[in-house]
Amino acid sequence: MSTRYPKDPGLTARMTVTIFLLGLLYVVFIGALLAVGVSYGVVIVIAGALLFAQYFFSDKIALFSMHARVVSEQEAPELHAMVDRLCALADMPKPKVGIAESDVPNAFATGRSPKAAVVCVTSGIMRRLDYQELEAVLSHELSHVAHRDVAVMTIASFLGVLAGLITRFTLYAGMFGGGYGGGRDRDNNNGAMAVLAIMLISIVVYAISFLLTRALSRYRELSADRSGAILIGAPAALASALTKVTGAMSQIPTRDLRSAEAFNAFFFAPALTKGFSLSTLFSTHPPLEKRLEQLARLEEQMRHPA
Amino acid sequence: MIVRVLGDGQYELDNVEAEEFTSLDDALGRHIDDGDEEAYRRDLDSLLEYVRRNGTVLGDDDFRPSDQVLPDPSSSLAEIKALLEDEQALVEEEHAGS
Amino acid sequence: MTKFFDALLGRTKPVPARLDALFGLPSAAITLQTEAGLVSTGQAGVCFKPVTDASFAEVQGDISQLLTMVKEQQEIKLEELDDKLGYHWVIITEPDIGELVTNVHAVNSGLEDAGYGPQLLCTVFGFTSTPDSPKPQHAYLVYLFKRGTFYPFIPASGEKRDNVAELHLKGILEKDLKVEEDLQRWFPIWGVPVS
């Protein structure tokens, strides 16, 4: 599906490598489970059900996990108009539009393919950004959809979830003394060994899949910034949106002190502060300032092309 | 010359100030390399003080890339070292990728 | 009620530690002017939630009586108003920042001594940019009575905030004032009735 979002060879290269390695990991994982004695039936049923659910319901799962709901044109006319304009600009099918009731400024895109995608924003981000900034964020999210890197991330997370599920399943099966599909005559400590081995494999698989996607997820954000900003020709708008949405800025609430009093403004009990430190900021996302610098260079190139 | 202070913003130094800044900044770089936390802390604070006193804050609408980036005061030497290594990895990655 | 008036008239009464933080404001005002081109608008608002249950009814009366008393005795220019969220404001006007802080402190400790401590929410000081400053701006300093800390609040159009400027102000204020470290407590006060 070609859209007018600028192509990013670096991204496509990385995505193919990641998918290839994930596929390899997937095969090795299934092979290892079978080798350890997990029955075909168990693996196929779980893997199949999960793949089906992940593939067909990934947008619903994401919406549910973010307490978001799809909104119609009547419910959010301005938001829909913005998405319409961007999709026309990018010449791509319009995804569903969702809003999550949360003061934390956030936006995300999900869905296995552009046709079945959902672009979602929180009420917190809509309160914090002006029109241009919100449009820039939506352009960033839509470029994830256009580049289909959302699908790669979904597949990657699928592997992690699969590993986790199989570990828990074998644990319960092990606890209730069920056989591992292998021969009935195995005595108990052999079973325990199998449980341990399966758990170990799953944890290793999860860790590898995380590492594989960590580099990709950092690169795809930079790529989405670039193509998102180029599409609307406004790197500065995306930069100011980013500053408002990530880092210390996103900690500052928008709810009035007088209505927040029930929470903790009156009482000395410390607010439940989730640790905000430099390292959390840099884990999967490229550092905010790095993204701003890239956008600043982009703005400069746009103003006076070399 | 434009200097970005992590977690704060961007400041512009004129040419004279830029030279003074660069000499202070080189010293900071050396301390980071040889892991001298106490000297790093002292130089970083004086550098930040210098930039904030002399530099003019870039307006919101003034959107230009920075020539130099300074860590914010709350980050420790170890954190900045990790960031630099991370940065190095990203740069290599980018060359490898494209 | 005598101990109350003693406090008001400044006789020997230990100032609760929390209120000391207020006295950092005059020097902070100087730094604000030099580094951010902001000057006091000469107005501050003490905000508290009037207790609705009957037992406090007569105390409520006492408040207006206290405030009129303060007005005459200390020639403090103040007025009362209620906002749409059911909070009571005592707006104090005093061009000199030092005097303004003293008056704010008198009203705050007066209310605290009258048993209103738990209801005291915050005091808001108004600041505005000097006419020649490049970036016209209106900023508020919110003093959280319970925490004894300050934080900046810079409203922008349409119930939005200029977080960038607020974080920048934090850097400047930290030299003179105890700034609220937990950003999640920097609650805005939309439509604050202080100029």
Side-chain angles (χ1 to χ4, degrees):
Chain A
M1 181 196 79
S2 71
T3 73
R4 270 194 229 102
Y5 270 108
K7 297 282 169 292
D8 183 337
L11 181 66
T12 353
R14 268 185 185 64
M15 274 164 52
T16 19
V17 166
T18 311
I19 292 180
F20 172 72
L21 290 175
L22 284 174
L24 195 64
L25 191 62
Y26 180 75
V27 169
V28 165
F29 177 43
I30 300 294
L33 289 183
L34 297 179
V36 168
V38 178
S39 79
Y40 272 95
V42 167
V43 173
I44 288 172
V45 162
I46 294 183
L50 199 70
L51 187 63
F52 178 81
Q54 192 92 27
Y55 190 72
F56 284 99
F57 303 114
S58 60
D59 45 2
K60 294 193 183 46
I61 298 167
L63 282 176
F64 176 73
S65 66
M66 288 292 283
H67 321 300
R69 57 179 174 72
V70 176
V71 285
S72 66
E73 305 245 349
Q74 293 68 26
E75 284 168 300
E78 210 187 70
L79 191 59
H80 267 276
M82 223 184 257
V83 174
D84 286 336
R85 184 177 164 283
L86 287 168
C87 289
L89 208 57
D91 178 20
M92 66 188 276
K94 175 183 176 184
K96 290 201 272 296
V97 175
I99 295 182
E101 272 313 316
S102 146
D103 193 31
V104 176
N106 202 350
F108 63 93
T110 180
R112 60 185 186 284
S113 70
K115 282 190 195 56
V118 183
V119 164
C120 194
V121 290
T122 63
S123 47
I125 200 171
M126 291 203 283
R127 271 202 295 273
R128 280 185 174 72
L129 302 186
D130 62 31
Y131 186 91
Q132 284 75 18
E133 287 162 346
L134 190 58
E135 189 181 47
V137 167
L138 284 169
S139 179
H140 167 103
E141 294 306 330
L142 283 171
S143 93
H144 278 312
V145 175
H147 285 142
R148 287 174 178 272
D149 55 44
V150 182
V152 174
M153 295 312 281
T154 326
I155 296 170
S157 66
F158 155 66
L159 240 181
V161 170
L162 176 66
L165 256 178
I166 291 194
T167 322
R168 235 168 273 117
F169 182 81
T170 42
L171 193 65
Y172 294 138
M175 253 189 297
F176 299 114
Y180 299 111
R184 278 286 163 283
D185 50 25
R186 293 244 176 81
D187 51 36
N188 227 339
N189 71 7
N190 204 333
M193 277 306 294
V195 168
L196 208 61
I198 291 166
M199 278 222 270
L200 210 62
I201 297 167
S202 307
I203 292 163
V204 165
V205 162
Y206 182 77
I208 298 175
S209 70
F210 177 73
L211 284 177
L212 280 182
T213 46
R214 198 172 82 107
L216 173 63
S217 81
R218 280 230 296 262
Y219 188 89
R220 68 189 268 260
E221 288 307 327
L222 287 168
S223 161
D225 282 353
R226 212 178 6 255
S227 37
I230 291 173
L231 185 84
I232 55 169
L238 184 56
S240 74
L242 272 176
T243 333
K244 292 186 179 177
V245 165
T246 38
M249 209 104 353
S250 63
Q251 306 272 310
I252 300 175
T254 57
R255 214 154 20 86
D256 194 291
L257 174 64
R258 294 159 292 190
S259 54
E261 67 160 302
F263 267 91
N264 49 36
F266 264 102
F267 313 108
F268 198 74
L272 1 91
T273 49
K274 47 186 174 3
F276 165 71
S277 70
L278 207 56
S279 51
T280 46
L281 190 64
F282 298 140
S283 51
T284 45
H285 273 264
L288 167 65
E289 271 93 359
K290 181 163 172 60
R291 295 172 77 177
L292 296 180
E293 288 299 330
Q294 173 189 255
L295 288 168
R297 271 193 298 280
L298 207 56
E299 176 87 9
E300 204 162 51
Q301 281 155 18
M302 279 191 180
R303 245 193 261 115
H304 23 74
Chain B
M1 173 194 205
I2 298 178
V3 177
R4 173 186 291 281
V5 175
L6 285 184
D8 179 359
Q10 290 175 297
Y11 296 81
E12 184 160 25
L13 302 172
D14 63 30
N15 305 355
V16 169
E17 290 154 352
E19 271 131 34
E20 284 157 26
F21 171 88
T22 325
S23 62
L24 283 168
D25 189 44
D26 296 344
L28 185 66
R30 278 196 302 282
H31 295 313
I32 292 181
D33 294 344
D34 48 42
D36 180 342
E37 176 88 29
E38 194 266 333
Y40 157 80
R41 174 65 48 204
R42 196 188 60 244
D43 278 9
L44 176 58
D45 291 341
S46 61
L47 250 176
L48 288 173
E49 176 48 29
Y50 179 88
V51 168
R52 286 204 176 109
R53 205 166 6 87
N54 302 1
T56 40
V57 180
L58 242 58
D60 292 348
D61 37 26
D62 186 344
F63 187 48
R64 281 174 286 156
S66 322
D67 309 304
Q68 280 288 350
V69 177
L70 276 181
D72 72 76
S74 63
S75 51
S76 68
L77 179 66
E79 246 168 7
I80 288 307
K81 225 172 169 109
L83 186 65
L84 290 175
E85 272 132 25
D86 219 18
E87 193 61 26
Q88 204 46 34
L90 260 178
V91 167
E92 272 134 25
E93 229 175 81
E94 239 143 57
H95 295 315
S98 43
Chain C
M1 281 318 290
T2 51
K3 84 169 172 21
F4 165 70
F5 286 106
D6 297 346
L8 195 65
L9 305 173
R11 291 199 192 94
T12 57
K13 175 81 169 54
V15 170
R18 280 189 302 283
L19 282 174
D20 294 351
L22 280 174
F23 293 110
L25 199 57
S27 58
I30 299 164
T31 329
L32 274 178
Q33 179 156 14
T34 49
E35 293 201 17
L38 286 170
V39 287
S40 162
T41 55
Q43 205 172 69
V46 177
C47 172
F48 63 98
K49 191 166 177 56
V51 177
T52 42
D53 65 60
S55 67
F56 269 77
E58 72 290 352
V59 175
Q60 172 74 9
D62 169 26
I63 291 296
S64 318
Q65 186 223 343
L66 146 78
L67 293 176
T68 31
M69 239 283 296
V70 163
K71 235 192 303 203
E72 283 123 20
Q73 237 175 19
Q74 313 236 348
E75 303 102 29
I76 299 179
K77 187 170 174 306
L78 54 83
E79 46 177 321
E80 295 174 61
L81 61 87
D82 288 297
D83 63 21
K84 49 186 177 1
L85 291 166
Y87 276 75
H88 199 67
W89 289 82
V90 178
I91 308 296
I92 303 158
T93 311
E94 168 50 59
D96 171 73
I97 183 80
E99 277 303 309
L100 181 60
V101 168
T102 321
N103 298 347
V104 160
H105 175 257
V107 171
N108 263 307
S109 52
L111 288 170
E112 191 179 26
D113 290 342
Y116 268 78
Q119 271 69 44
L120 272 169
L121 180 62
C122 66
T123 302
V124 181
F125 294 86
F127 284 84
T128 189
S129 45
T130 45
D132 53 16
S133 97
K135 191 162 171 264
Q137 203 179 37
H138 205 91
Y140 294 100
L141 273 191
V142 180
Y143 167 70
L144 282 177
F145 181 82
K146 274 279 172 302
R147 310 263 298 168
T149 56
F150 286 86
Y151 63 86
F153 166 51
I154 303 177
S157 59
E159 277 207 2
K160 290 199 167 79
R161 303 172 68 159
D162 186 342
N163 293 136
V164 178
E166 286 170 350
L167 283 169
H168 189 55
L169 223 51
K170 172 176 187 278
I172 294 171
L173 292 167
E174 267 160 352
K175 302 188 186 84
D176 305 288
L177 289 179
K178 191 158 174 294
V179 176
E180 175 54 58
E181 282 308 318
D182 178 1
L183 296 182
Q184 289 180 320
R185 286 171 176 270
W186 286 22
F187 292 103
I189 303 169
W190 301 119
V192 57
V194 171
S195 63

